[in-house]
């Protein structure tokens, strides 16, 4: 059984290692896979995008532990989310907002059964500062051994949701999106998704389907491409990325630096319609 | 069987990968778990803290390989340490000092049996510059296959120990500690431990047990908290961390930057006694 | 069966995690081992050195996936290389140049059989921008399940090769090499290998075997050492490293910084001959 880890714990400390030790102490047969531990500290939105972008590529039954948790130790709840055979374990702070968004059938359990938390000894004292090790890791390990999720706590219906920035129609011909994530290569991932144009009705749908568009970032028109190597070196481009999001890039360059871009920056799509 | 790795080799080179290859070539069933490879280069003290902070969270029988080794190739010994069913493999340069400190019953073996080192071929030539791959990885792999530790070399009684900074009583009411580690979040971990107050007799113990205290760093009084989210943003705070060490933090901030703190910096605890 | 990963994807994004998910979805028994994901973005030469330096330390049958791929999505081919029981999967952009160089018997397959690529679903749409996940990961996973390499595509004989910088004899007594890689410690790895002096005939071989030499970097004579700790602090030194390459180092220091060195910089070896 696979357990993935996504945290802002970084790679220099002992945090991730001790989570793995706790998991393997409970289930020696678990396969623990790192998704990322370099989420920007406390950036719940970035973690939400990462888990959305990767969980579909893991087999059914995989348990995804996400710990980006500025409120650790406070009254925020610890939860388990179950959706189409995938499991998610972490704090109830909105980090699973994208999971809820896409969900048809979903089950959320508030983790309260302390018998599935870290088993304390004289030298191993669980505390309120490291729930990744003391709550989420052991719960994931028990889950990977097949325990019934309902033994871990009570079902809830009101998980915390992030106010995820949705693209909005500024007018009939202009869609405004936002940069939601910037990757290692400086590529700018936006909240405008492949399914967006078909799923969202523009203000006046009878003006016909969208046939072409211009994408504009900070006053600059971006060239539309199918893959990175199509861009000329230095040329600001845009493509539909491997997770179905519109993404700004510069082939062999760094769009973040060239545009001095940040998460939250606005991006415009001007569309033409067949009968406009 | 689990083998953990803690090194200053970083993540950009091939060093860690080839250690794992050597281990799996000897024992295909070993589970190799990274604790950290971002120990500051040559910082033996930081590695000593990391392995102390994590080994208790791994199941019995786990083998911990630690390679922070500025003296590689010189006359410093290679050793195996066995303690309460946990194993430690690495250079005899003090990196296991915390392990000795807490130990009741311990066994240390000087690794001299070359038949358990890397098996050379025409193209794989072991040498004096990479003992992580050529000595520690293969020894750990053989150990994980159940070989008797005493076949790996001869027992010794005089391992190298770091002069670990102990807190000291400046006077009856003032304990001076030191920062021993700074984590990714800029939290400052000190050498003042949970068990310290009970274990160390203050100069005049008949003055009664400590009932409260003030913690002072660089002239600033720190607020005492139970978990991170209790701190107001920007407020310098202190808590007993998840490994039982006093730790300075700023909620959603960076104490290292705000205090311009370094490892070795002094921290003061002023205590009050019930009958003083 | 072991599958190793070497990429320039970094550790902050979801790229590596989703490759592992795809692999384990196809072969739950695969052991996925990271060699490095911190290859400098788009630096094919650095990746070529890393895989050369590590693959010999993995057991026979290991599958090495290397994805440093500035041309992803373009017409560059995807290939599988088989050599002495080791397998290599990645783009045909020269990243396996060192593998070809040392090879006696080798087989190269152009990966064209789409039935072994990522299996698309409504939500998982393979595309031209992430072939690490959509082609190389699934092909490696099928290979680890024992599929015949020839089912994956057709054999080719003309793989792309990097113009690997070879050392050259400037005159009978002077060999000029180049820095080809700089590691985390600032050590400068050159293209002058252990086997070089015996393998390459100097211009006038009848002048006798080389008995000693001076190594010079940027006008400075380097001290010849057997291991790092032999160097005095601050002293520029050179040794034959653990992969059989001449390597410039400064004990407990950083040669890259002290020499302001870059990949491609020239290094000179002045040799003396027994009968010159």
């Amino acid at each position: 059984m696979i357990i993935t880890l996504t945290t802002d714990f970084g790679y220099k400390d002992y945090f991730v290692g001790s989570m793995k030790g706790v998991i393997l102490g409970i289930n020696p047969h678990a396969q623990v896979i790192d998704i990322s531990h370099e989420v920007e500290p406390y950036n719940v939105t970035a973690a939400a995008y990462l888990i959305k972008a990767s969980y579909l590529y893991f087999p059914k039954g995989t348990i995804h532990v996400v710990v980006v948790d500025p409120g650790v130790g406070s009254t925020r709840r610890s939860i388990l989310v179950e959706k189409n055979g995938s499991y998610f374990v972490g704090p109830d702070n909105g980090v699973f907002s994208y999971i809820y968004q896409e969900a048809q059938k979903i089950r959320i359990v508030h983790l309260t059964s302390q018998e599935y938390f870290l088993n304390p000894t004289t030298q191993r004292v669980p505390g309120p500062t490291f729930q990744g090790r003391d709550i989420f890791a052991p719960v994931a390990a028990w889950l990977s051994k097949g325990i019934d999720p309902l033994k871990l706590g009570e079902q809830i219906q009101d998980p915390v949701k992030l106010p995820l920035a949705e693209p909005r129609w500024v007018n009939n011909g202009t869609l405004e999106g936002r940069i939601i994530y910037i990757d290692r290569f400086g590529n700018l991932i936006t909240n405008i998704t492949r399914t967006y144009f078909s799923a969202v009705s523009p203000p006046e749908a009878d003006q016909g389907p969208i046939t072409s568009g211009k994408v504009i970032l900070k006053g600059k028109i971006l060239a539309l491409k199918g893959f990175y190597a199509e861009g000329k070196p230095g040329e600001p481009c845009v493509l539909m990325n491997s997770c179905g999001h519109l993404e700004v890039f510069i082939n062999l360059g760094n769009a973040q630096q060239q545009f001095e871009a940040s998460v939250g920056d606005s991006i415009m799509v001007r569309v033409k319609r067949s009968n406009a």
Side-chain angles (χ1 to χ4, degrees), chain A:
Chain A
M1 196 59 81
I2 302 169
I3 297 174
T4 79
L5 304 180
T6 304
T7 77
D8 61 354
F9 291 163
Y11 290 91
K12 77 181 274 284
D13 302 308
Y14 63 90
F15 306 133
V16 175
S18 51
M19 285 179 70
K20 293 182 184 175
V22 167
I23 289 170
L24 295 172
I26 294 169
N27 184 359
H29 303 294
Q31 262 190 303
V32 188
I33 299 291
D34 301 306
I35 290 182
S36 173
H37 301 292
E38 288 289 359
V39 177
E40 192 195 349
Y42 319 128
N43 190 335
V44 176
T45 313
Y49 175 72
L50 284 180
I51 197 64
K52 168 212 157 108
S54 45
Y55 85 94
L56 282 171
Y57 295 89
F58 283 85
K60 285 224 169 188
T62 297
I63 298 156
H64 302 279
V65 178
V66 184
V67 195
V68 175
D69 192 13
V72 62
S74 69
T75 55
R76 72 103 188 88
R77 298 174 293 194
S78 300
I79 56 171
L80 159 70
V81 180
E82 187 183 351
K83 175 184 161 186
N84 295 340
S86 291
Y87 298 87
F88 304 85
V89 175
D92 180 28
N93 61 9
V95 78
F96 301 126
S97 294
Y98 284 110
I99 307 301
Y100 309 142
Q101 198 180 30
E102 303 160 342
Q104 282 83 44
K105 211 183 130 191
I106 205 162
R107 185 161 65 165
I108 305 174
V109 173
H110 177 196
L111 301 169
T112 53
S113 302
Q114 301 200 8
E115 61 267 40
Y116 299 106
F117 296 176
L118 181 67
N119 191 12
T121 67
T122 343
Q123 293 177 292
R124 303 192 331 183
V125 186
T129 62
F130 192 3
Q131 300 194 343
R133 182 193 67 193
D134 299 344
I135 296 182
F136 303 130
V139 160
W142 285 110
L143 207 54
S144 74
K145 291 183 82 166
I147 204 171
D148 178 355
L150 290 178
K151 289 205 170 163
L152 297 166
E154 309 87 44
Q155 257 187 283
I156 59 168
Q157 311 288 347
D158 59 342
V160 171
K161 292 179 186 181
L162 295 176
L164 291 176
E166 288 288 325
R168 68 188 188 97
W169 290 97
V170 178
N171 57 50
N172 187 41
T174 307
L175 183 73
E176 181 182 25
R178 300 265 169 205
I179 296 172
I180 57 167
Y181 187 81
I182 300 176
D183 75 14
R184 157 177 168 86
F185 299 94
N187 298 325
L188 312 172
I189 292 92
T190 74
N191 60 352
I192 301 174
T193 55
R194 185 185 286 129
T195 54
Y196 196 77
F197 291 107
S198 54
V200 176
S201 288
E204 300 169 48
D206 57 357
Q207 296 202 358
I210 294 157
T211 52
S212 69
K214 261 183 203 156
V215 184
I216 299 156
L217 180 64
K218 300 196 171 190
K220 207 164 242 166
I221 297 177
L222 308 172
L224 295 159
K225 303 292 180 187
F227 52 92
Y228 300 114
E230 276 187 331
K232 299 187 199 100
E235 179 191 29
C237 302
V238 72
L239 53 64
M240 197 55 75
N241 79 6
S242 61
C243 294
H245 283 245
L246 206 66
E247 176 180 317
V248 181
F249 73 99
I250 292 171
N251 184 23
L252 304 180
N254 188 306
Q256 178 182 24
Q257 285 168 17
Q258 187 154 325
F259 281 99
E260 297 180 7
S262 306
V263 167
D265 283 356
S266 172
I267 185 167
M268 293 295 181
V269 183
R270 297 247 164 75
V271 296
K272 281 190 192 147
R273 292 173 194 287
S274 56
N275 56 355

